[in-house]
């Protein structure tokens, strides 16, 4: 008894943290530098393949390959800022289009290369499973939950308790004041792009083992990140968690009770409905409203 | 039209809270047709917010605004314009990429002007250039054909005024029109403001430059921390010790 | 200090055209007149004569031409949206709506292309405006985001609910009479759109569009309902895109989820950016560059998508004015090298 309900609860929670982890990088970059990194999904996908390549073509052990991937993708994010975004900074249209172009280029490159078969899977970090409330959950998912929560906590500490983090947040709130106290805007944005991309890589490596690597996940991940970020409002960790919980549970509930395909409709609908009804997000402040509207 | 003696603009208990801060706190005043009211006060005292509340750019958290006897609290900005309220902005933000006269064509082309003035305007480009000349752009100069982004500050302020006048408003609200203008530029504008008053227009001016302001308005309202702290004729208000004290700094700045 | 020896600089002079303001041109001679008008006349003539070549150019090039015009219609639509400050990452929304409306009208009401294409153009555009209306308050990133999500949402909805033929689509629709009619129809639509939009944006009505893009606050202060202006822009922009959808539906006698495919968003976006936004000729030029290239690379599959993403990137960052403006500027100027005169004070 209670099988469906328990499964909804457990998997809703797991799914929420998965979404949280997926969105963390996008939200961090957006919150800190105002750049909506539409290449987020592409970088996520890239991380999966990069890690696979490092393991199977270079022969690195998994932990090393994973660490190298996170580092490399982080550097790539920073490089995207220095080479592409810096010259169009402030022109929102060009920022969106150029990151979008980078993302599409990455995703379609892998589609062309044909990396779509069962051969390209990443190993789970841990094997086995455990029963929670009578629902079988594998350790990988539990590890992801722990990782997602830990990273969220660390990020909160980073942005609220460290000098660098506070400087970055200051930058995002008032660029002129931050400039006048000696924080350099391009440096801050480079860092935020790099960190956001590295987080996309962490998410990719941790989450891709849950299934086979499919190409369209590059676009799905971007949309999920958009949904969660839009729903929760920017710059607030609470909002991000709330957004993940709502979208996460909504997906599992519709998947379990309405039909498995509907869960994909849900987060897309969430983006549209939230932006139409309450553009500032659920916890948004008026400043954000001004930016969006 | 409002009946004789009826206020054109009636503001009652207006309040705007940004979070826990009351930017405007229980402000009330009346403007009769033909009145000219100056709103003064230190920086951050809520003057611009007051204008934004009256013109619909910001929605009040409490209080009412009536215009021509009609409740217009929290009205959409374009509707306020349609009723005859025009405003300028403290930070002039023209359409930088358009030629100066095209900046004025926008309000000349607006629904209000089209309805209100009909064919009277004739060629809109020409009407725009005439309006620019009215606010002190030199006759037959190339300045109106330059890109608005190339205008010096004093011209930008006059452009703001021209954009208000293009709407043929009954109530003109000017947010720090004089700031950043030179003495001679202000001297050039004053007769125009006099003329507007003589034509029966109602003026509401937020201003830091008191000496120049007092040459236009006949009553003054002072805000401090969002509250109305003084009201009366310029002489009365300036005689109040608390006003003189609050304004000492600004007076010095004016003379500097 | 300039380098010694070769003290020359490049001087650019506008060709025989005196410009007093943005609007007043004085042409000096018939030669200058020809210089200005000939490229336009030649381009229009070439477009109108192309279909007459008929089978001589072969079906491949006819297809390329039709696809170019379809993408040009979508790119023109994108450009009008951009003129009011709305950045669309999802032109396939308009394309798909037009396509499905045409499919429904033909399949369920049996109207045939003569009625269904014009009706689908209007209804599709109206539908798109209705869908986007509550979202028009959004600016910049957020509007781009919503246009990116909406076509995918429609796609998933059709897939999940099985409505409108579901994954199978609607097939067996009435075809257009023949290839020549197809080419003429779509070419005429693209030309008409380009000229209509250019005209529109030069009027005071179009001026308001640009004003909204530059500074919404001042447009409000001038007494315009900004949301309404934007809605009108969306409707006008949606017309050619919905037409393109309806046209392609009848051409293939089929409409399916692919009508909302990302290619109908990325290709027009790239065409507009490569050709140069803001001129309504740039997007057409861009389509003529991209579509033949894309068709030639069809066997490389997704690699062509990679290629035009990269072009999109390079042009956004490197040549934001686009090819058309760049070439037009060069075409309208003499260039010569002149000796640099030493300034008297030696600076």
């Amino acid at each position: 008894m209670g099988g469906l309900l328990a499964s909804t609860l457990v998997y809703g929670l797991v799914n929420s943290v998965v979404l949280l982890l997926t969105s963390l990088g996008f939200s961090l970059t957006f919150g800190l530098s105002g750049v909506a990194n539409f290449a987020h999904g592409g970088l996520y996908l890239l991380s999966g393949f990069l890690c696979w390549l490092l393991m199977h073509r270079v022969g690195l052990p998994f932990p090393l390959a994973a660490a190298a991937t996170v580092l490399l993708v982080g550097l790539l994010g920073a490089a995207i800022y220095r080479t592409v975004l810096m010259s169009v900074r402030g022109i929102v249209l060009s920022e969106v289009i150029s990151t979008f172009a980078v993302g599409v280029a990455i995703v379609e490159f892998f589609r062309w290369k044909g990396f779509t078969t069962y051969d390209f899977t990443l190993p789970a970090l841990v094997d086995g499973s455990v029963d929670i409330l009578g629902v079988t959950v594998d350790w990988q998912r539990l590890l992801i939950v722990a990782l997602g929560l830990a990273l969220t906590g660390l990020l909160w500490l980073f942005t609220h308790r460290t000098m660098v983090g506070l400087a970055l947040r200051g930058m995002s709130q008032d660029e002129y004041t931050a400039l006048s106290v000696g924080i350099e805007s391009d440096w801050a944005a480079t860092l935020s792009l790099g960190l956001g991309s590295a987080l996309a890589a962490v998410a990719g490596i941790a989450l891709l083992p849950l299934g086979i690597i499919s190409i369209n996940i590059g676009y799905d991940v971007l949309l999920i990140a958009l949904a969660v970020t839009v729903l929760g409002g920017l710059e607030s960790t609470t909002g991000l968690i709330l957004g993940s919980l709502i979208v996460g549970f909504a997906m599992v509930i519709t998947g379990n009770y309405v039909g498995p395909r509907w869960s994909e409709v849900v987060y897309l609908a969430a983006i549209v409905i939230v932006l139409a009804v309450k553009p500032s997000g659920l916890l948004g402040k008026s400043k954000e409203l001004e930016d969006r509207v | 039209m409002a009946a004789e003696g009826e206020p054109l603009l009636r503001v009652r208990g207006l309040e705007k809270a940004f979070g826990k801060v009351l930017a405007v706190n229980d402000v009330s005043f009346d403007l009769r047709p033909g009145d000219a009211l100056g709103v003064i006060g230190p920086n951050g005292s809520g003057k611009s917010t007051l204008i934004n509340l009256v013109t619909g750019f910001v929605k009040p958290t409490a209080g009412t605004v009536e215009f021509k006897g009609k409740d217009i609290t929290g009205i959409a900005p374009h509707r306020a314009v349609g009723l005859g309220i025009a405003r300028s902005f403290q930070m002039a933000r023209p359409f930088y990429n358009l030629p100066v006269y095209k900046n004025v064509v926008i309000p000349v082309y607006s629904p209000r002007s089209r309805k209100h003035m009909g064919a009277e305007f004739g060629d809109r480009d020409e009407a725009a250039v005439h309006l620019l000349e009215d606010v002190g752009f030199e006759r037959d100069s190339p300045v109106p054909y330059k890109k608005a982004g190339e205008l010096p500050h004093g011209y930008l302020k006059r452009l703001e005024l021209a954009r208000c006048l293009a709407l043929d408003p009954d109530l003109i609200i000017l947010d720090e029109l004089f700031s950043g203008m030179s003495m001679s530029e202000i001297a050039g504008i004053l007769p125009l403001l006099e003329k507007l008053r003589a034509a029966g227009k109602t003026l509401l001016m937020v201003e830091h430059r008191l000496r120049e302001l007092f040459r236009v308005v006949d009553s003054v309202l002072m805000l401090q921390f969002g509250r109305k702290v003084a009201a009366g004729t310029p002489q009365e208000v300036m005689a109040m010790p608390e006003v003189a004290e609050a304004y000492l700094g600004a007076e010095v700045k004016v003379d500097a | 200090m300039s380098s010694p020896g070769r003290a020359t600089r490049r001087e650019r002079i506008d060709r025989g055209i005196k410009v007093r303001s943005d609007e007043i041109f004085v042409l000096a001679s018939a030669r200058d007149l020809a210089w200005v008008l000939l490229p336009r006349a030649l381009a229009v003539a070439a477009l109108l004569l192309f279909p007459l070549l008929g089978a001589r150019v072969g079906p491949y090039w006819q297809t390329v031409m039709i696809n170019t015009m379809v993408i040009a219609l979508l790119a023109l639509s994108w450009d009008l949206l951009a003129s009011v400050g709305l950045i669309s990452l999802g032109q396939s929304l308009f394309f798909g709506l037009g396509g499905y409306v045409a499919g429904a009208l033909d399949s369920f009401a049996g109207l045939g292309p003569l009625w269904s294409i014009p009706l689908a153009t209007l209804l599709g555009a109206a539908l798109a405006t209705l869908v986007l209306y509550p979202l028009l308050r959004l600016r910049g990133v957020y509007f781009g985001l919503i246009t990116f999500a909406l076509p995918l949402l429609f796609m998933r909805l059709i897939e999940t609910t099985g409505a409108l033929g579901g994954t199978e689509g609607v097939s067996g629709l009435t075809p257009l009479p023949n290839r020549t009619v197809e080419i003429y129809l779509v070419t005429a639509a693209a030309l008409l759109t380009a000229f209509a939009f250019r005209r529109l944006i030069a009027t005071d009505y179009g001026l308001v569009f640009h004003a909204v893009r530059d500074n919404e606050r001042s447009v409000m202060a001038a007494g315009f309902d900004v949301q309404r202006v934007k809605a009108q822009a969306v409707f006008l922009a949606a017309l050619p895109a919905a037409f393109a959808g309806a046209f392609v539906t009848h051409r293939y006698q089929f409409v399916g989820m692919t009508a909302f495919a990302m290619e109908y968003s990325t290709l027009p976006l790239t065409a507009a950016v490569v050709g140069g936004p803001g001129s309504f000729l740039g997007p057409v030029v861009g389509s003529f560059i991209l579509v033949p290239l894309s068709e030639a690379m069809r066997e490389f599959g997704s690699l062509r998508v990679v290629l035009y993403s990269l072009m999109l990137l390079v042009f956004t960052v490197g040549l934001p004015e686009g090819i058309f403006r760049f070439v037009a500027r060069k075409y309208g100027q003499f260039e010569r090298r002149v000796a640099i005169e030493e300034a008297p004070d030696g600076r």
Side-chain angles (χ1 to χ4, degrees):
Chain A
M1 88 124 235
L4 195 56
L5 183 65
S7 134
T8 303
L9 257 164
V10 172
Y11 274 96
L13 205 62
V14 171
N15 193 37
S16 301
V17 182
V18 166
L19 300 189
L20 180 66
L21 193 57
T22 309
S23 325
L24 223 44
F26 180 84
S27 157
L28 181 87
T29 304
F30 200 5
L32 290 185
S33 65
V35 173
N37 184 9
F38 276 64
H40 183 75
L43 292 169
Y44 176 99
L45 193 63
L46 173 69
S47 317
F49 286 114
L50 195 60
C51 191
W52 185 90
L53 282 173
L54 287 175
M55 286 171 69
H56 295 271
R57 291 288 141 87
V58 183
L60 294 182
F62 176 71
L64 218 56
T69 302
V70 172
L71 187 71
L72 285 173
V73 173
L75 286 175
L76 177 65
I80 289 174
Y81 185 82
R82 302 308 290 195
T83 54
V84 175
L85 284 170
M86 217 156 96
S87 50
V88 295
R89 192 81 171 102
I91 311 166
V92 175
L93 143 73
S94 305
E95 285 180 2
V96 171
I97 292 179
S98 51
T99 56
F100 180 69
V102 171
V104 173
I106 295 175
V107 174
E108 297 301 326
F109 176 78
F110 284 116
R111 198 194 301 281
W112 173 62
K113 273 290 183 185
F115 279 147
T116 42
T117 61
Y118 282 91
D119 297 340
F120 304 95
T121 51
L122 287 177
L125 299 168
V126 281
D127 286 321
S129 59
V130 68
D131 277 8
I132 300 170
L133 298 172
V135 184
T136 311
V137 185
D138 45 287
W139 279 106
Q140 174 79 6
R141 285 194 162 76
L142 289 181
L143 191 75
I144 286 166
V145 170
L147 185 69
L149 294 177
L151 273 178
T152 311
L154 278 176
L155 271 184
W156 188 87
L157 285 176
F158 171 71
T159 49
H160 288 75
R161 291 288 181 270
T162 65
M163 282 302 287
V164 179
L166 286 170
L168 285 172
R169 285 210 310 149
M171 198 79 221
S172 71
Q173 273 159 18
D174 188 345
E175 195 161 329
Y176 289 107
T177 314
L179 280 174
S180 67
V181 296
I183 301 169
E184 213 248 305
S185 148
D186 279 327
W187 173 84
T190 307
L191 192 63
S192 83
L193 253 287
L195 276 176
S197 307
L199 282 170
V202 172
I205 295 168
L207 296 176
L208 284 172
L210 295 181
I212 52 160
I213 302 179
S214 90
I215 297 298
N216 280 335
I217 215 162
Y219 298 122
D220 293 341
V221 159
L222 171 61
L223 286 163
I224 285 173
L226 289 172
V228 168
T229 312
V230 159
L231 201 69
L234 291 175
E235 175 55 25
S236 113
T237 315
T238 331
L240 193 63
I241 294 171
L242 192 69
S244 307
L245 282 173
I246 293 174
V247 181
F249 270 97
M251 281 173 76
V252 170
I253 289 170
T254 45
N256 279 354
Y257 293 95
V258 187
R261 308 225 68 138
W262 280 95
S263 62
E264 305 205 324
V265 176
V266 164
Y267 62 82
L268 288 170
I271 300 179
V272 177
I273 293 168
V274 169
L275 283 179
V277 176
K278 196 167 183 303
S280 60
L282 295 175
L283 295 180
K285 302 187 190 80
S286 57
K287 181 184 178 290
E288 294 164 17
L289 186 66
E290 256 170 51
D291 289 344
R292 291 189 193 191
V293 173
Chain B
M1 281 305 284
E4 193 60 39
E6 268 296 284
L8 183 71
L9 181 73
R10 184 202 289 268
V11 173
R12 285 293 173 271
L14 211 54
E15 180 197 288
K16 176 65 196 179
F18 289 112
K20 286 182 186 128
V21 183
L22 285 175
V24 169
N25 186 358
D26 192 23
V27 171
S28 305
F29 64 90
D30 281 347
L31 266 181
R32 277 163 217 294
D35 276 359
L37 173 71
V39 178
I40 63 172
N43 282 324
S45 58
K47 305 185 298 292
S48 285
T49 307
L50 181 64
I51 291 186
N52 285 335
L53 291 173
V54 171
T55 51
F57 279 82
V58 171
K59 310 257 175 283
T61 38
T64 57
V65 181
E66 274 176 37
F67 185 68
K68 296 177 182 171
K70 199 172 143 192
D71 184 12
I72 61 158
T73 316
I75 193 175
H78 66 271
R79 293 197 193 285
V81 174
L83 291 172
I85 305 177
R87 67 164 296 180
S88 77
F89 289 94
Q90 183 187 348
M91 290 280 289
R93 269 195 281 170
F95 308 113
Y96 290 104
N97 296 317
L98 300 181
V100 175
Y101 77 102
K102 285 287 184 193
N103 271 264
V104 186
V105 168
I106 301 282
V108 167
Y109 180 64
S110 82
R112 172 176 172 87
S113 307
R114 265 179 294 164
K115 197 172 77 187
H116 215 232
M117 318 236 214
E120 204 182 303
F121 254 145
D123 181 55
R124 284 191 283 267
D125 290 355
E126 221 169 90
V129 174
H130 281 308
L131 279 160
L132 284 168
E133 287 170 0
D134 286 347
V135 297
F137 280 66
E138 292 79 3
R139 221 160 269 279
D140 296 326
S141 84
V143 179
Y145 304 99
K146 285 186 178 175
K147 286 233 185 305
E150 298 167 16
L151 278 188
H153 190 79
Y155 278 96
L156 279 182
K157 293 301 234 186
R158 278 181 272 170
L159 173 58
E160 281 284 303
L161 183 58
R163 292 205 313 208
C164 286
L165 298 184
L167 298 164
D168 189 28
D170 304 312
L171 170 61
I172 304 173
I173 302 181
L174 301 169
D175 196 352
E176 298 199 22
L177 178 68
F178 294 154
S179 71
M181 284 174 105
S182 70
M183 281 303 190
S184 64
E185 280 172 330
I186 295 177
I189 286 284
L190 284 173
L192 174 67
L193 295 176
E194 289 294 329
K195 215 166 84 185
L196 288 172
R197 290 213 57 192
K201 304 284 184 197
T202 312
L203 283 180
L204 196 161
M205 296 176 74
V206 162
E207 204 51 70
H208 270 303
R209 303 180 65 157
L210 304 187
R211 189 160 301 173
E212 292 82 358
L213 175 71
F214 294 160
R215 291 177 60 181
V216 184
V217 301
D218 38 34
S219 60
V220 174
L221 182 157
M222 176 162 161
L223 293 181
Q224 203 165 14
F225 303 116
R227 280 189 167 280
K228 182 163 99 172
V229 290
T233 67
Q235 291 75 17
E236 284 166 12
V237 169
M238 289 322 284
M240 297 180 189
E242 61 269 38
V243 174
E245 189 189 323
Y247 250 89
L248 204 59
E251 273 289 356
V252 171
K253 204 177 83 189
V254 168
D255 287 337
Chain C
M1 282 288 290
S2 60
S3 58
R6 280 182 187 277
T8 62
R9 65 184 171 85
R10 211 178 291 168
E11 187 184 50
R12 299 198 177 96
I13 306 162
D14 291 337
R15 276 182 196 271
I17 299 166
K18 233 183 166 166
V19 182
R20 187 181 152 214
S21 78
D22 274 3
E23 298 206 320
I24 304 159
F25 298 98
V26 180
L27 292 169
S29 65
R31 204 172 137 248
D32 286 334
L33 203 66
W35 185 266
V36 170
L37 291 180
L38 214 57
R40 302 166 195 222
L42 281 178
V44 172
L47 280 179
L48 290 178
L49 291 177
F50 182 86
L52 294 182
L53 296 175
R56 247 164 293 172
V57 291
Y60 176 80
W61 286 106
Q62 288 182 324
T63 305
V64 169
M65 187 60 156
I66 290 176
N67 289 351
T68 303
M69 288 295 125
V70 166
I71 295 303
L73 282 165
L74 290 168
L76 283 163
S77 158
W78 185 92
D79 210 10
L80 191 70
L81 284 175
S83 80
V84 74
L86 297 171
I87 303 311
S88 158
L89 296 180
Q91 286 303 92
S92 63
L93 171 68
F94 307 119
F95 184 87
L97 286 174
Y100 266 101
V101 172
L105 287 176
D106 191 66
S107 172
F108 304 134
L111 285 182
L114 192 64
W115 282 103
S116 104
I117 291 184
L119 274 177
T121 303
L122 287 172
L123 285 177
L127 213 57
T129 314
L130 215 63
V131 170
L132 286 174
Y133 190 78
L135 299 157
L136 288 177
R137 291 182 295 165
L138 302 167
R139 279 204 299 245
V141 182
Y142 292 94
F143 188 80
L145 186 164
I146 211 78
T147 51
F148 180 59
L150 271 173
L152 290 165
L153 178 61
F154 276 108
M155 220 169 171
R156 297 259 163 89
L157 273 176
I158 289 171
E159 187 185 1
T160 311
T161 59
L164 295 162
T167 47
E168 303 288 305
V170 185
S171 51
L173 302 174
T174 321
L176 290 157
N178 59 51
R179 195 53 75 84
T180 311
V181 170
E182 283 179 2
I183 302 184
Y184 261 123
L185 186 61
V186 73
T187 306
L191 280 175
L192 186 74
T193 308
F195 285 109
F197 281 4
R198 271 175 79 83
R199 257 296 159 81
L200 176 89
I201 215 71
T203 63
D204 288 345
Y205 182 73
L207 189 70
V208 179
F209 284 10
H210 278 156
V212 168
R213 182 192 60 191
D214 284 1
N215 182 350
E216 285 187 18
R217 194 189 66 171
S218 295
V219 179
M220 279 184 228
F224 285 94
D225 183 348
V226 168
Q227 182 121 342
R228 216 175 117 174
V229 174
K230 283 186 184 173
Q232 290 168 353
V234 167
F235 179 75
L236 290 170
L239 286 173
F243 170 86
F247 169 80
V248 169
T249 294
H250 278 286
R251 179 167 135 74
Y252 292 156
Q253 303 166 46
F254 165 78
V255 60
M257 278 158 49
T258 45
F260 289 112
M262 244 180 70
E263 187 151 15
Y264 291 116
S265 302
T266 43
L267 206 48
L269 166 66
T270 312
V273 170
V274 167
S279 58
F280 299 109
L281 293 181
V284 180
V285 172
S287 307
F288 268 104
I289 296 169
L290 269 174
V291 177
L293 200 67
S294 166
E295 292 294 330
M297 287 183 67
R298 203 166 264 284
E299 58 188 294
F300 295 99
S302 319
L303 189 62
R304 67 204 170 106
V305 188
V306 178
L307 182 86
Y308 52 73
S309 308
L310 292 178
M311 283 177 81
L312 181 59
L313 185 65
V314 167
F315 275 88
T316 308
V317 176
L319 191 67
E321 69 174 346
I323 287 178
F324 175 73
R325 287 239 166 118
F326 181 78
V327 172
R329 198 155 44 82
K330 294 286 169 202
Y331 181 83
Q333 285 173 336
F334 293 109
E335 221 176 74
R336 64 180 181 191
R337 303 213 62 98
V338 292
I340 293 174
E341 292 163 31
E342 282 298 317
D345 59 355
R347 272 202 298 152

